[in-house]
Amino acid sequence: MPVKLPARPGKPPAQAVDNRVFDLLSLTMAMVLALHASHLPWWLTTALAVTLGWRWWQRRQRAGRVPRWLKLPLLALLTLAVVVSYGSIFGRAPGSALAVGLLVLKLLESETPRDVRVGVSFACFALMAALLFDQGLLLTVMVAVGLLPALATLRALEPAAPETTLPVALRSNLGLLAAAIPLALLGFLLVPRLSTPLWGAPAADQARTGLSDTMSPGNFTELLVDDHPAMRVSFDGTPPPPDLRYFRAYVMWDYDGRSWHHLAPGQRDRRAVAAIDVGSSISYRISLEPTHQRVLPALDVPLQAPPQAQLQPDREVVADKPVNHALHYQLRSALRYRLQPTLDARSRRLGLQLPAGFNPRSRALAEQWRQRYGNDDAAIVRAALTLFHDGGFRYTLTPAPLGRNAVDDFLFSTREGFCEHYASAFTVLMREAGIPARVVTGFQGGYWNTMGHYLLVRYSDAHAWSEVWLKGRGWVRADPTAAVRPERVTLGAAAAAGDQLPWYRRDWLQGARNRWDIVNRWWNQGVTGFNALRQRGLLTPFGIRDTDTTTLGVLLALGSVLFIAIGMAWALLQRRPRDPLREALHQLERTLARQGIVRRAGEGPQNYLLRAARALPACREELALLMKSYLELRYAHDEPPTEPLRAFRRAVRNFRVVRVV
Amino acid sequence: MQAQLQRLYQWAERRLPALTRYRRPEGLPIELHRRRIYIVPTRFGLGFSLLLMVMLVGALNYGNNAALLLTCLLGAASAASMLVAFRSLNGLRLTHIGAGHAVAGHPLEISLTFEADRVRQAIRLDLGDDSVAFALSASGTSRVPLMLPTDRRGWQPLPRLRLWSSWPLGLFRAWSWLHPDRAVLVWPRAEAGGPPPKAPAHDARQLRLHHGDELATLRDYRVGDPQRHIAWKASARHPDLMVKDFEQPRSRPQWLLDWRQIHGLDNEARISRLARWVDEARSQQRSYSLWLPGNEIPAGSGPLHYAYCMSALAQCP
């Protein structure tokens, strides 16, 4: 079994690692590549995979480094590819692409244990880099799984390691990782978080399309097929019915004939926050995924802003800083309300603004309605909604393009589109009829997770609707999309889109994904959303309101010491086979030693006990008996029999020294 | 530089035994326990911890909790691997040392028997330039051969052995000194050339046949052959009586190797000359006797006799 190793001191000759190690290393690299594949360009992934596979095959044929004339051009090619594809080699995405590429190229020269160790370390780093792109539960678990081949490689490097199969080799580190979990959690909880990053603005480039503060026809299309979670809402008490689940993000007043903006460029909003009469209200908590924007979606209509956020004049909630990490906030919103019962002059002007010289046919239609219904604004609104409901409009995610007179084209010729077309056209119609109106974008609907009692809102639930100001009722929500497709509001975007969705968003799968989301929510709340603020509140249950860095450091040190102590106890624990017979004899020796009869080194039990018997004549009989039974128990059997052993121990316990005076 | 370091280390060993973890020779069995196992990070371990720091700072900077969790997990696993490294040595016992034979200048093979009550993996044993790795199965023993370099004849105490392991991840190296209180006997080196031993007086009786005990052939009966040498069964098939002819196994005369025969040389030269003669006698399959001051070895042959003679030579004052 022993393995001869090469002479150790000095420079050991570079001994090539065996195929087993190399296979594990290749597997590690393949895992890293697979985990990065989602953000690498497909051709780079393919090229790297081919390189990896080729090198693996080549190494099986003949061990040895790949010659330099092949390696250097590949390196140059990789750098070139990254620069061409990303425009730079710095930054998170190009940096990761370069790192993964270098890692695969490292495999070309991995021959000695040292190469392999460097490769494994680098792979660990690249595994961590994969988490910078997505820190979902699934990817994190996969990255942790990716550690297994990496650690197995290190294990296989040790000499005289037992021959194992691949599954066993991978499993061998599970125990180590499992034992590491408590300490890892302690570190995770207590390592002081940075309140401001040391360098770089984290990741504006990873922004999803998200909601935007402008709206032009067609810029929702990308959003409506993005089924990543946008936020999760849990309500105190019963959730509002589906037709009230409107989450307000942006309110848009300014229309330039093509797109909607909050206000015209250069204008500043100096209006006061709109007044509101509250009928009924509900309070709820939102966990928002990072958006890299400042707006915080809120259920219509929020009553106040959470800390570190402001309420805008139109009751949009805007945070002081862009939301770069998962954010949790609590809000209270009115469900039955009268918003801005009296409209100020400026708002009225904004609500009626229209660019001149656009959409003559819709203007004519609006004027026709105005003549027919007179001053009854509500009737005009109803007429418009009826038009959308009965006018042969179709809900589709791929509408025909619109021309200069977008609203006219939409209303009178194409008649197909999705929420933003309807909201835009409806708002323009209302303004043409002289009713103050505005576009509101945000989310509508969501999936109610019964198990977790929360509402999951995805990006695909993005929605646009209108608000019209009616005298005596304030701003009233009018959703023309609901007129066209009522199920858009009651069942959600996926139902409305019908079979235009890709296969992976079909009902059954979507249902499963919605239910699975509870785990994601738990992960987001527990892990990814654990920021400096939450960390400071960590010790609140123990009466410490604000846990500062020093306290955290002390706690971390104490906790580590505790875990190390547990680990040491485990490591030092050596179960010695107990020998009750010897222990009994020791007890007897101690009893006798108190009388000054100490067993000498090298003195056998027989000699010793005989000496004791001579010294204590009163106990002679007893000691002789003890000696005899000890010798018998010790030497007559391999294992001392139980019953006589018990008797001997009892006898030793009961032994009392009697001194003859 | 290397030599200076070596000297510094030797000085430190003499003056600061506690610092260099020096241990006096001790009797077998030697059991490793926590007071004599030391752990240091390997160079890879240091590099890896640096990498972990980089990962930690990166994860904190990007506020990426999943990456932080991963970093913490890796760090904790590394720390745990330190304990595993310690445990792979803790409780290991060196129970027995066997030594082979070797002539001075040639490496001598010693074998160390280790015992443990748990599975141990990737344990390494260093002796000078020689390094060997072994593993122990559950409650198993392992015999580990090592080559001990020798240079002088006589009793050579075993040097310190370094027992170490970087199992499981190679991040930490747990090590301990083993200094068993044992010596091995190194045989003297034979001189390169020189005269053959003085031929002993030719004894006619030595050439006589019938003296050996290996059956060589059958021949016709001659008068005077002892009766018990007659091959009765073979004779039954022949007209004449057949006699078993025995042959002396040694075909060469016996050598009487004597310390006193060699004049004009110092002791070491005498010993190495005698060693050469013993070697030659063995290779020629002669029987030989050896006279040494205070030690007289009667004639004999075979490996045991050879070993006896060489050991006697090795132990000459």
Side-chain angles (χ1 to χ4, degrees), chain A residues 3 8 131 158 198 527 530, chain B residues 61 64-65 91 121 126 133 166:
Chain A
V3 179
R8 192 182 50 83
L131 290 174
E158 294 297 312
L198 295 175
V527 178
F530 188 80
Chain B
N61 185 63
N64 192 313
N65 279 330
Q121 269 157 356
D126 289 355
S166 55

Side-chain angles (χ1 to χ4, degrees), chain A residues 486-508:
Chain A
E487 61 266 36
R488 169 65 188 83
V489 173
T490 49
L491 295 180
D499 51 5
Q500 298 170 35
L501 291 171
W503 62 270
Y504 57 86
R505 287 192 51 206
R506 293 286 155 76
D507 296 347
W508 59 275

Side-chain angles (χ1 to χ4, degrees), chain B residues 209 213-219 243-248:
Chain B
L209 288 175
D213 26 48
E214 276 176 33
L215 181 63
T217 179
L218 288 175
R219 60 168 172 79
V243 171
K244 285 183 268 191
D245 202 355
F246 291 89
E247 196 178 61
Q248 195 84 341

